[in-house]
Amino acid sequence: MTRSRFLPARAALAAVLAGCVLALCAACEAPRDRAGEPAARTSSPADVCTSLVSYWVKEALKGSKWAGLDWEQKGMSNEQYEIHDEVLVAARAEERREGREAAFALTDRETRRRCEAAKGATGSSENWRPPSEQRVPTSGSRPSMS
């Protein structure tokens, strides 16, 4: 077997691991209540969107080998990926003008603003439908081969 056959599996594993790392980091920073137990913390859809999109924009700015994963492998919705692309363009321009730290700051600000405006940007592909709404083509709807 060639090594390239394992690349999709490795990429998927890396995306899962990146999500686990983000979750662990968030848990480490959770405030504690008076009894020493971690306080319950909820994240809004905008918080999740901001964390996910800004992480991947920064990875792209750093030239990470995982930055080339597609939006599904990164765990983003179509709307989140659109925000990612727009913020990345702005962040690259900012990096050329003011440097990487300024680009990271712009990434955090713009991602937060856009994710909040889009209420988490959880919209999926316009082609996606829940299983209950999927249409099965009938034999009469297919083009003829003649």
Side-chain angles (χ1 to χ4, degrees):
M1 288 192 181
T2 64
R3 186 175 178 198
S4 63
R5 291 186 68 191
F6 294 105
L7 290 179
R10 287 183 180 176
L13 178 60
V16 169
L17 291 175
C20 292
V21 169
L22 288 172
L24 286 173
C25 289
C28 293
E29 295 174 6
R32 297 187 174 272
D33 68 9
R34 295 174 208 234
E37 295 295 319
R41 182 172 182 215
T42 58
S43 297
S44 71
D47 292 337
V48 173
C49 173
T50 300
S51 176
L52 185 63
V53 173
S54 66
Y55 172 82
W56 286 113
V57 169
K58 290 173 185 175
E59 287 299 296
L61 290 171
K62 291 187 277 186
S64 162
K65 70 179 187 177
W66 302 114
L69 297 174
D70 71 23
W71 62 274
E72 289 176 304
Q73 292 168 317
K74 292 176 180 177
M76 288 190 265
S77 70
N78 286 22
E79 279 186 289
Q80 291 164 347
Y81 193 62
E82 185 175 324
I83 292 170
H84 169 277
D85 284 350
E86 292 168 357
V87 171
L88 181 56
V89 167
R92 283 186 172 145
E94 182 72 3
E95 184 175 33
R96 285 189 299 274
R97 286 189 306 270
E98 302 293 330
R100 179 153 300 159
E101 290 305 313
F104 284 178
L106 178 134
T107 296
D108 291 336
R109 280 191 318 273
E110 275 302 295
T111 302
R112 167 63 61 191
R113 184 183 69 76
R114 291 171 187 238
C115 285
E116 285 178 352
K119 296 179 173 66
T122 58
S124 190
S125 169
E126 61 191 41
N127 297 324
W128 182 87
R129 287 182 173 63
S132 62
E133 294 178 21
Q134 289 183 359
R135 293 181 240 146
V136 177
T138 62
S139 61
S141 65
R142 295 182 182 173
S144 66
M145 300 297 278
S146 54

